[in-house]
Amino acid sequence: MNFRETTIKYIKDILRAKTIAEVICTELQEAHLRKLEAETAAEYANAAMHYNEERIQRLEKRLAQHKEDA
């Protein structure tokens, strides 16, 4: 198969109507990708939450020490 034939086949494949199975597979792949992205975002948010909880505890401890010294 030469470049011209390959290109024509590729264009025909793009323009043809997709089967139901192809549409479902595409949507399934997209759903898996979005789930992974959401899990990543949840992990990041969880880490940020824990970081800020520890930061609050540290700052409250420092504030209490400062009040005792004053």
Side-chain angles (χ1 to χ4, degrees), residues 18-31:
K18 304 295 182 199
T19 65
I20 292 174
E22 289 173 325
V23 172
I24 291 170
C25 286
T26 301
E27 287 191 27
L28 183 59
Q29 290 174 340
E30 290 175 9

Side-chain angles (χ1 to χ4, degrees), residues 27-68:
E27 287 191 27
L28 183 59
Q29 290 174 340
E30 290 175 9
H32 280 293
L33 179 60
R34 298 298 172 256
K35 181 178 180 247
L36 288 171
E37 290 172 345
E39 288 172 347
T40 299
E43 289 170 356
Y44 178 81
N46 193 26
M49 184 182 69
H50 287 299
Y51 166 77
N52 282 307
E53 285 174 350
E54 291 177 8
R55 182 176 175 212
I56 289 168
Q57 290 174 358
R58 177 181 54 83
L59 292 171
E60 286 176 343
K61 183 179 174 183
R62 288 276 178 102
L63 182 60
Q65 289 174 350
H66 179 73
K67 287 182 179 179
E68 287 175 2

